[in-house]
Amino acid sequence: YIVIIQVGAILAVVLLYWGPLTSMLRGLAGRDSGGLRLLRNLFCAFLPVAVVGLIASKWIERHLFSVGTVIIGLVVGSLLMFYAEHRRRRWSGVGREIRDPADLFASQALGIGLLQCLSLWPGTSRSMVTIVGGYFAGLAPAKAAEFSFLVGLPVLAGAAVVKGVRSGPAMIEVFGWTNVLLGIAVAAVSAAAAVKFLVAFLGRQGLGAFAVYRIVLAVLLAAVFYL
């Protein structure tokens, strides 16, 4: 159910980033070279996690879904965010930021995709690792977030399709169509608000505050479940 209602988040991103999406469509028609490069980069970033996810999804569900693995993911992710933020500030100080995801090399987009595979570890966060990957590739915060959300479209859609095929009939039987559609609608509204807030906040403050939040959450989880 949690995976399926992410269709709402997909719809929110489509509406918020309609410009880049139409640019990619024009690129396919040969009318927008930047849009075609962006589409190439999204494919390169999507491919690794699609392959690894299909191969390892059942193993991950059996072995990695526990409080302990989530705590590890939170802590390791926060350390990665601190490092990425420090590195980005140093690079931006010498004017080395890339202003548009379409300007990434295919190899840089593939690197973001490889890093995105870490999001298969519970507690890591797909958007976090792809934004960090964007930082490492040289993208400014807002553009790293934009690329992260665009990459998330095929990732979330693929996950929803796979889960829908595997568990859709049972889910409808348990929850009913009304609750599923309501969940999608609520997910769409909350995702749109969260995306707009995150992009604005990243542009002003960077990733540091989110890294601190993850450390605090990891400590609270450890205290509740292990003390």
Side-chain angles (χ1 to χ4, degrees), residues 1 6 30 53-54 71 91 94 132 156 159 189:
Y1 180 75
Q6 288 182 141
L54 287 173
I71 291 173
W91 276 47
V94 294
V132 166
L156 295 177
V189 174

Side-chain angles (χ1 to χ4, degrees), residues 152-178:
L153 287 177
V155 174
L156 295 177
V161 169
V162 170
K163 289 292 185 181
V165 170
R166 290 180 180 174
S167 308
M171 181 190 64
I172 297 300
E173 183 178 346
V174 172
F175 294 103
W177 277 107
T178 301

Side-chain angles (χ1 to χ4, degrees), residues 24-122:
M24 286 187 284
L25 291 175
R26 290 196 302 270
L28 282 175
R31 300 198 302 268
D32 190 328
S33 59
L36 189 60
R37 292 196 308 274
L38 178 59
L39 182 61
R40 176 205 65 192
N41 290 340
L42 289 180
F43 176 78
C44 290
F46 165 72
L47 186 61
V49 74
V51 173
V52 175
L54 287 173
I55 293 173
S57 62
K58 291 185 178 179
W59 184 91
I60 290 170
E61 289 179 0
R62 285 196 304 267
H63 298 284
L64 294 184
F65 279 83
S66 68
V67 174
T69 56
V70 169
I71 291 173
I72 291 171
L74 288 169
V75 173
V76 172
S78 68
L79 296 177
L80 188 62
M81 293 167 79
F82 279 127
Y83 173 72
E85 184 61 34
H86 171 74
R87 186 175 182 271
R88 182 195 69 81
R89 291 182 184 276
R90 186 179 63 190
W91 276 47
S92 64
V94 294
R96 298 179 66 179
E97 285 186 332
I98 299 172
R99 296 299 175 182
D100 195 321
D103 295 332
L104 293 171
F105 294 117
S107 58
Q108 291 174 308
L110 183 62
I112 295 173
L114 292 171
L115 194 62
Q116 186 177 201
C117 293
L118 294 177
S119 67
L120 297 172
W121 184 286

